[in-house]
């Protein structure tokens, strides 16, 4: 094989056509060019190579422009600046150079009137990720523009390097509170080995805004090394710091924190701290934690009692179940409702005695004076699914409130056991028309002229493309209803569910054989509360991988999020764009609108999908053009 020196000597002898054929028309040639280009000593030859590469492929040429010797880069990067193309694409090409020479050009974009251009500029500087990029972003972090400031913090966190961490640590002592808040938020995105010492120091910062964000980040990092600092934070003078420290210790599951958390349950005039303490005790779940939660059931504040009940429902022991059953008699309607939900959440699998105990407790609550509580009982019985639960649901089919009756029918459909099917068959002859109509929907092979029940349902698009599955977009509540529908549920083979961090899928979702679960908030720009999570590029890649794996097999796909409007619509758009391929971005968006006319995709998710699919802004543009058309029609 020719040495690099020999290949470099041959470069001047090649015509443009020969150069293109040897280095730019095949993958191996491109790899070779990338290897020898940093060693080219003649500026004219380096410039010639970049000019030829840019004619063949703008992205390839831009990457190569940053590979030449540093002293040549002002001229090679300037070639990209002169390209006549859209500003977002030019910013993307400058970022691909990974050259410090591109940074001054990108800084100009930060003053552009359009926020999208400013965002592209900041992301591009972050992609370069050098020490010079860090210095620039640290200065941008002090911007008066709140969005620019937010994205600068995000970009520094994405760089995840020692220089970035050092810049953020320095910013913790900035005179502006907003800069300090963003700095500690961004540090939570940095590699834990670098971030932990900074977080422990931040827990003692004079600014409480820094301290509580540091507590949240410590909970995300986990590990025994952050526990002492969080235990100290439980005694912080600021109640928000104490509350977030309690939540972090619960997330870590540290048993040493239990006595302090029990003490916080009874903290006067600070129910927010008590709520977090109760949740944390439920996550830790030791016998001592249960004892503390039992005390919480006697708290004067109903919210604290409710949190204690919910936490006990996560522990799944007989002691916890008995305590929750007592709360079915609480004086507060919402505590009683949460007690019913908690009983439904208790894991009774393989424990017949616990199953009977839970079912017996819910049977008592069937007679609650409030329909809200009875509705919750019906939902809990559906989760338990035993014959005793079926018997309780049969009683609720005669409830005076239609919502309770309908929930009882849906829970029977969810159970799907022999006893539940028999109960549904018997329900076809019940007094109430809504019960008869809904029961018919959950029984296969039943064809009756019964009244239809008003209910929200997800809509679907029957695509002509053989590669695309039938896609349904729904809210989480609609999705649960769809899954327990016996006829429709059989066609459902794939599920993409998106929820908020720490919130589990409904149990009905496990019926779908192929699932993708993603957890992030419905955010389009960073929010300096570290409890709230912005979608990541990795999330878009997971959706794309899932879509490409399922496209070859038949079966319906259900995409859902809490509202069925934003995150689920963006995920569905990503699926359609990935399967349909390049150049079909408008068709992909049209299919999403056909499936969910009220869709309003999360714009940041669309940006990420566009990046992951390499669509050069076309996916985002497809949505924007539709939005512009809608506006013009309205005026």
């Amino acid at each position: 094989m020719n040495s690099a020196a020999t290949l470099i000597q041959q470069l001047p002898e090649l015509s443009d056509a020969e150069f293109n054929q040897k280095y730019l028309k095949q993958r191996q040639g491109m790899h070779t060019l990338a290897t020898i280009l940093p060693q080219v000593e003649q500026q004219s030859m380096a410039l010639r190579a970049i000019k030829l590469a840019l004619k063949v492929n703008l992205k390839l040429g831009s990457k190569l422009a940053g590979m030449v010797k540093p002293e040549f880069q002002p001229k090679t990067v300037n070639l990209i600046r002169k390209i006549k193309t859209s500003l977002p694409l030019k910013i993307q090409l400058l970022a691909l150079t990974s050259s410090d020479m591109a940074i001054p050009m990108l800084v100009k974009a930060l003053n552009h009137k359009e926020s999208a251009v400013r965002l592209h500029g900041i992301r591009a500087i972050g992609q370069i990720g050098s020490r010079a990029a860090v210095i620039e972003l640290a200065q941008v972090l002090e911007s008066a523009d709140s969005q620019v400031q937010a994205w600068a913090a995000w970009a520094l966190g994405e760089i995840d390097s020692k220089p970035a961490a050092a810049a953020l640590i320095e910013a913790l002592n900035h005179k502006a509170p907003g800069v300090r808040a963003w700095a500690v938020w961004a540090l939570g995105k940095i590699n834990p080995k670098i971030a932990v010492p900074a977080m422990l120091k931040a827990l003692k910062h004079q600014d409480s805004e820094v301290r509580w964000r540091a507590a949240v980040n410590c909970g995300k990092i986990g590990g025994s090394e952050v526990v002492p600092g969080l235990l100290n934070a439980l005694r912080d003078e600021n109640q928000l710091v104490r509350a977030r420290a309690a939540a972090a210790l619960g997330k870590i599951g540290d048993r040493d924190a239990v006595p302090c958390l029990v003490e916080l349950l009874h903290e006067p005039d600070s129910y927010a701290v008590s709520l977090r303490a109760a949740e944390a005790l439920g996550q830790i779940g030791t016998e001592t934690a249960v004892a503390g939660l039992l005390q919480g059931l006697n708290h004067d504040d109903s919210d604290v009692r409710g949190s204690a009940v919910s936490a006990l429902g996560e522990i799944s022991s007989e002691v916890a179940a008995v305590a929750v059953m007592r709360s079915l008699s609480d004086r507060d309607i919402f505590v009683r409702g949460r007690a019913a939900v908690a009983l439904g959440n208790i894991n009774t699998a393989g424990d017949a005695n616990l199953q009977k105990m839970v079912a017996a407790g819910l049977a008592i609550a069937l007679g609650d004076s409030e329909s809200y509580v009875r509705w919750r009982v019906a939902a809990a019985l559906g989760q338990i699914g035993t014959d005793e639960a079926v018997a309780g649901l049969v009683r609720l089919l005669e409830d005076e409130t239609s919502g309770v009756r309908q929930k009882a029918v849906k829970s029977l459909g969810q159970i799907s056991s022999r006893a539940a099917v028999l109960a549904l068959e018997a329900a076809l002859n019940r007094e109430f028309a809504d019960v008869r109509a809904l029961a018919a929907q959950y029984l296969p092979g039943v064809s009756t002229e019964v009244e239809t029940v008003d209910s929200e349902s997800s809509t679907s698009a029957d695509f002509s493309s053989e590669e695309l599955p039938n896609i349904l977009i729904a809210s989480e509540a609609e999705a649960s209803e769809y899954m327990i529908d016996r006829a429709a549920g059989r066609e459902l083979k794939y599920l993409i569910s998106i929820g908020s961090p720490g919130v589990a899928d409904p149990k009905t979702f496990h019926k779908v054989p192929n699932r993708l679960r993603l957890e992030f908030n419905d955010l389009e720009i960073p929010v300096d509360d570290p409890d709230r999570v912005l979608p990541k590029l990795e999330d878009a890649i997971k959706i794309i991988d899932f879509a490409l794996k399922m496209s070859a097999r038949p079966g319906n796909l259900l995409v859902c999020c809490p509202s069925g409007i934003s995150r689920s619509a963006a995920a569905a758009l990503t699926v359609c764009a990935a399967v349909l391929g390049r150049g079909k971005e408008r068709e992909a968006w049209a299919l999403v609108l056909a499936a969910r006319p009220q869709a309003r995709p999360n714009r940041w998710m669309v940006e990420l999908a566009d990046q992951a699919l390499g669509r050069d802004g076309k996916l985002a543009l497809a949505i924007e053009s539709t939005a512009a058309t809608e506006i013009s029609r309205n005026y």
Side-chain angles (χ1 to χ4, degrees):
M1 184 176 179
N2 290 334
S3 67
T6 302
L7 292 171
I8 292 171
Q9 288 177 356
Q10 294 173 352
L11 288 180
E13 301 172 4
L14 299 175
S15 67
D16 289 355
E18 289 171 333
F19 185 94
N20 287 346
Q21 186 60 41
K22 186 169 184 176
Y23 291 112
L24 301 175
K25 296 294 187 181
Q26 49 188 328
R27 186 178 298 275
Q28 183 58 42
M30 295 177 191
H31 177 74
T32 302
L33 181 60
T35 302
I36 66 174
L37 201 54
Q39 302 176 48
V40 173
E41 297 288 349
Q42 292 179 305
Q43 180 172 274
S44 60
M45 183 52 62
L47 281 169
R48 178 188 176 219
I50 302 307
K51 288 176 181 177
L52 291 173
L54 287 170
K55 288 181 180 179
V56 173
N57 186 304
L58 287 176
K59 291 184 179 179
L60 170 63
S62 298
K63 288 179 181 178
L64 294 174
M67 292 182 182
V68 302
K69 286 184 173 295
E71 56 266 34
F72 302 160
Q73 288 180 20
K75 290 196 173 181
T76 57
V77 172
N78 195 48
L79 291 175
I80 297 165
R81 184 186 66 81
K82 292 180 178 178
I83 294 172
K84 293 182 179 180
T85 185
S86 67
L87 187 53
L89 179 56
K90 186 174 291 188
I91 289 171
Q92 182 184 351
L93 296 176
L94 288 168
L96 288 174
T97 67
S98 297
S99 171
D100 287 348
M101 296 299 107
I103 293 177
M105 303 176 195
L106 293 169
V107 169
K108 291 181 180 179
L110 305 188
N111 297 316
H112 199 276
K113 61 181 180 180
E114 293 184 17
S115 61
V117 174
R118 298 196 297 270
L119 164 58
H120 289 313
I122 291 173
R123 288 177 66 191
I125 296 172
Q127 282 177 265
I128 292 173
S130 64
R131 187 177 293 274
V134 168
I135 292 171
E136 191 61 52
L137 288 170
Q139 293 176 352
V140 176
L141 189 60
E142 302 178 24
S143 170
D145 185 326
S146 59
Q147 282 199 16
V148 168
Q149 189 181 42
W151 284 114
W154 173 85
L156 284 166
E158 289 291 301
I159 291 174
D160 192 9
S161 65
K162 287 184 178 179
L168 291 168
I169 290 169
E170 184 178 346
L172 288 177
N173 296 315
H174 197 278
K175 61 181 181 181
V179 175
R180 297 196 296 267
W182 278 118
V184 71
W185 175 86
L187 274 169
K189 291 157 57 67
I190 297 285
N191 187 298
K193 289 184 180 179
I194 302 174
V196 166
M199 286 299 111
L200 293 176
K201 190 174 180 180
L203 283 172
K204 300 176 182 178
H205 199 281
Q206 61 181 3
D207 186 349
S208 63
E209 294 286 315
V210 172
R211 297 199 302 276
W212 76 254
R213 288 178 174 84
V216 175
N217 286 335
C218 283
K220 289 182 176 180
I221 294 169
S224 57
E225 56 191 332
V226 301
V227 170
L230 288 170
L231 289 173
N232 287 333
L234 291 179
R235 296 188 290 272
D236 195 279
E237 62 182 5
N238 184 280
Q239 65 174 354
L240 184 55
V241 177
R242 298 196 300 276
R244 297 304 180 101
L249 287 164
K251 193 169 187 177
I252 295 170
D254 187 80
R255 298 186 173 204
D256 293 339
V258 170
C260 296
L261 292 170
V262 171
E263 196 174 316
L264 289 180
L265 274 177
H266 304 285
E267 183 169 302
D269 303 323
S270 184
Y271 82 92
V273 177
S274 300
L275 291 178
R276 295 281 189 170
E279 292 168 0
L281 288 169
Q283 289 174 300
I284 295 170
T286 62
E287 289 185 11
T288 311
V290 171
L293 289 169
L294 294 179
Q295 296 178 34
L297 296 179
N298 299 317
H299 200 280
D300 290 338
D301 192 289
S302 61
D303 286 335
V304 177
R305 296 199 304 276
S307 290
V309 165
S310 297
L312 285 166
E314 299 297 325
I315 293 174
S316 300
S317 69
E318 287 195 16
V319 173
V322 170
V324 173
M325 287 166 60
R326 289 201 203 102
S327 294
L328 289 169
S329 302
D330 193 277
R331 61 186 179 276
D332 185 88
I333 173 178
F334 295 108
V335 174
R336 300 201 302 274
R338 291 180 75 168
V341 172
L343 286 174
N345 286 337
I346 289 177
N347 183 7
T348 61
D351 191 333
N353 289 333
L354 189 56
Q355 285 181 348
K356 290 181 179 178
M357 180 188 301
V358 169
L362 288 169
I364 296 172
L366 292 173
D368 195 283
S369 60
E370 296 289 344
S371 61
Y372 166 80
V373 177
R374 300 196 301 276
W375 189 96
R376 292 290 188 183
V377 170
L381 289 170
Q383 288 184 279
I384 295 169
T386 61
D387 287 350
E388 290 85 358
V390 170
L393 290 167
V394 169
R395 286 176 56 187
L396 289 177
L397 295 178
E398 299 294 335
D399 197 276
E400 63 184 10
T401 303
S402 62
V404 176
R405 296 194 300 268
Q406 291 175 25
K407 188 61 184 176
V409 175
K410 292 172 183 177
S411 290
L412 287 169
Q414 177 182 333
I415 293 171
S416 300
S417 67
R418 170 74 177 159
V421 171
L422 290 173
L424 286 169
E425 290 175 348
L428 295 173
N429 300 312
R430 289 277 178 177
E431 172 188 357
F432 294 106
D434 58 345
V435 171
R436 298 197 302 271
L438 203 52
Q441 292 182 30
Y442 288 104
L443 285 168
V446 175
S447 178
T448 55
E449 295 295 327
V450 293
E451 301 91 334
T452 58
V453 182
D454 291 331
S455 64
E456 286 188 275
S457 62
S458 58
T459 54
S460 64
D462 189 9
F463 301 128
S464 58
S465 170
E466 293 182 0
E467 293 181 330
L468 273 168
N470 192 39
I471 296 183
L472 302 103
I473 304 172
S475 69
E476 198 170 84
E478 292 167 346
S480 293
E481 299 292 339
Y482 184 82
M483 274 179 246
I484 61 176
D485 184 287
R486 295 175 67 86
R490 282 195 297 270
E491 299 298 321
L492 189 60
K493 303 298 182 193
Y494 304 96
L495 169 67
I496 298 176
S497 68
I498 305 173
S500 299
V503 180
D505 262 342
K507 292 184 179 180
T508 51
F509 284 18
H510 294 283
K511 293 184 176 184
V512 182
N514 304 292
R515 301 186 302 275
L516 173 64
R517 173 67 173 178
L518 299 171
E519 294 187 2
F520 48 80
N521 295 103
D522 189 13
L523 299 175
E524 295 184 338
I525 61 171
V527 175
D528 64 4
D529 181 348
D531 268 340
R532 305 191 69 195
V533 178
L534 192 72
K536 299 178 181 177
L537 182 62
E538 291 83 354
D539 297 313
I541 293 171
K542 287 178 182 177
I543 295 170
I544 293 165
D545 288 344
F546 188 79
L548 296 178
K549 287 176 183 176
M550 76 179 181
S551 61
R553 306 186 192 99
N556 290 354
L557 164 67
L558 176 60
V559 188
C560 70
C561 65
S563 67
I565 302 294
S566 180
R567 284 167 285 182
S568 55
L573 177 61
T574 304
V575 169
C576 293
V579 177
L580 290 178
R582 190 179 300 276
K584 299 285 186 69
E585 290 77 22
R586 289 183 182 241
E587 290 89 335
W589 175 224
L591 291 171
V592 171
L593 284 175
R596 192 75 164 175
Q598 64 268 50
R600 295 293 181 272
N602 179 292
R603 292 304 179 98
W604 176 236
M605 287 181 67
V606 174
E607 289 266 1
L608 294 174
D610 196 294
Q611 180 182 344
L613 291 166
R615 300 298 168 84
D616 300 331
K618 292 177 183 176
L619 200 56
L621 189 61
I623 296 175
E624 290 167 6
S625 62
T626 305
T629 302
E630 288 179 355
I631 292 172
S632 65
R633 286 175 181 169
N634 292 334
Y635 288 91

